Amino acid sequence: MTDISPDAKPAIVNSTVSSSSDSGLRQIRQYGAVNGLGLWTLYKREVGRFMKVWMQTVFAPVVTTLLFMTVFKLAFGDRGRLTGDFEGLNYNDFLAPGLVIMAILQNAFQNTSSSLVQAKFNATHVDFLMPPLSPLELTAGFLGGAITRGVIVAVISALGIQLSGLANLSVVHVWPIVWFSLTAAIILGALGAMGGIWADKFDHLSAVTNFVIVPLTFLSGTFYDIKVMKEPFLTLAHLDPFFYMIDGFRYGFIGVANSSIVTGLWVTGVLSILSTAAVWWMFKVGYKLKA
């Protein structure tokens, strides 16, 4: 057994304290205008959250989209031809882009809404409120996860439709596809974040989905040319912001639109800014997040 002199103990303690103190000072992390590491960590958390259950969050929506296409393909075959603005276009080729962007809308909304309402329900929302993340960084992290999930589901759905021969998704213009898919994911991701923050329980979130998101999606021209509608429903359809997202996205594939693409650019652009600002404000004031 080795003896340690009593005189040596204070030196050891002092040395340890000094070393620990110096190490603590060295570990203080300095952030600039943007906490890049924190933002990247939150984004990875959001992506990892839905990728861990990819069978439910990615595979299931893809299967649903392909089932929609299969049912309409069996019902109409190649006989369905449209009139009006889409004169002579095969119905399946008209339907496919609408189903793809509908997948973006639904999955972007579900990603942010489910993430936030689950965090509130499990009282784990402090995990992203306590770190040094600004309201803008929180907004960007959650919306980034929503965009990623929506785009992944859309790309796989489009490839499945094309490779299976259910429809022909030939690209006419690339920029509308990129613009309207991103703005649609931003708007619905922001709506999902607002719904998740506002909802006190899952029933509240289900009400938003069933009475707002689903009706606006299905009545926006996804399955039909809106010009077959009579007044005042035709005017109401033009007031539905989902219509411009779907119409603009479809324009990128078939080169024809029901409305002005410039109008669609303005509507989706302004709504993206306003919805993002609304989420930023809710995080800033801690609406239903801070006691």
Side-chain angles (χ1 to χ4, degrees):
M1 180 175 178
T2 304
D3 294 330
I4 299 177
S5 172
D7 296 335
K9 290 182 180 179
I12 295 173
V13 173
N14 292 336
S15 174
T16 303
V17 172
S18 176
S19 174
S20 176
S21 177
D22 293 343
S23 176
L25 289 174
R26 287 196 300 269
Q27 290 178 0
I28 295 176
R29 194 180 299 276
Q30 299 295 326
Y31 298 103
V34 177
N35 182 356
L37 177 61
L39 175 58
W40 175 245
T41 302
L42 177 59
Y43 170 75
K44 288 197 299 182
R45 170 189 178 275
E46 286 300 292
V47 173
R49 190 186 63 83
F50 75 78
M51 287 303 296
K52 285 181 180 178
V53 286
W54 64 270
M55 287 289 289
Q56 175 185 347
T57 57
V58 177
F59 183 70
V62 170
V63 171
T64 300
T65 302
L66 294 178
L67 284 175
F68 267 118
M69 278 302 310
T70 302
V71 169
F72 281 99
K73 179 79 171 179
L74 293 173
F76 294 102
D78 293 323
R79 299 186 301 277
R81 296 286 170 177
L82 297 170
T83 58
D85 293 334
F86 307 102
E87 180 72 38
L89 182 69
N90 185 284
Y91 177 71
N92 295 320
D93 297 342
F94 167 87
L95 175 65
L99 291 178
V100 172
I101 193 170
M102 187 172 74
I104 295 178
L105 298 173
Q106 293 179 344
N107 284 275
F109 178 85
Q110 290 172 2
N111 199 71
T112 49
S113 61
S114 62
S115 177
L116 285 164
V117 79
Q118 286 176 6
K120 288 176 61 180
F121 184 78
N122 295 324
T124 58
H125 56 285
V126 294
D127 293 344
F128 58 79
L129 292 178
M130 290 183 64
L133 289 168
S134 69
L136 184 59
E137 289 161 355
L138 288 172
T139 302
F142 281 104
L143 293 188
I147 294 170
T148 302
R149 176 173 167 181
V151 170
I152 288 176
V153 173
V155 169
I156 298 176
S157 298
L159 289 174
I161 291 172
Q162 184 69 26
L163 295 176
S164 63
L166 292 171
N168 180 27
L169 282 171
S170 57
V171 177
V172 177
H173 305 289
V174 175
W175 69 265
I177 297 174
V178 175
W179 172 268
F180 288 101
S181 60
L182 290 179
T183 53
I186 291 171
I187 295 168
L188 268 294
L191 287 177
M194 287 185 278
I197 295 172
W198 166 79
D200 293 323
K201 52 185 178 180
F202 289 101
D203 289 345
H204 292 165
L205 194 59
S206 297
V208 175
T209 303
N210 295 330
F211 297 110
V212 179
I213 303 301
V214 172
L216 288 177
T217 303
F218 278 81
L219 299 176
S220 58
T222 302
F223 301 97
Y224 53 86
D225 179 356
I226 67 163
K227 291 189 175 178
V228 303
M229 303 173 71
K230 303 296 182 182
E231 292 292 354
F233 301 104
L234 180 59
T235 300
L236 292 175
H238 281 89
L239 297 177
D240 181 356
F242 288 20
F243 160 69
Y244 295 99
M245 304 175 201
I246 294 171
D247 192 47
F249 185 80
R250 182 182 283 128
Y251 171 78
F253 287 97
I254 64 178
V256 183
N258 263 146
S259 64
S260 168
I261 293 299
V262 175
T263 302
L265 290 173
W266 275 103
V267 170
T268 54
V270 170
L271 285 177
S272 297
I273 296 172
L274 293 178
S275 59
T276 302
V279 176
W280 170 84
W281 176 83
M282 295 177 85
F283 279 126
K284 182 177 177 60
V285 302
Y287 178 76
K288 285 196 172 184
L289 292 173
K290 298 178 182 178

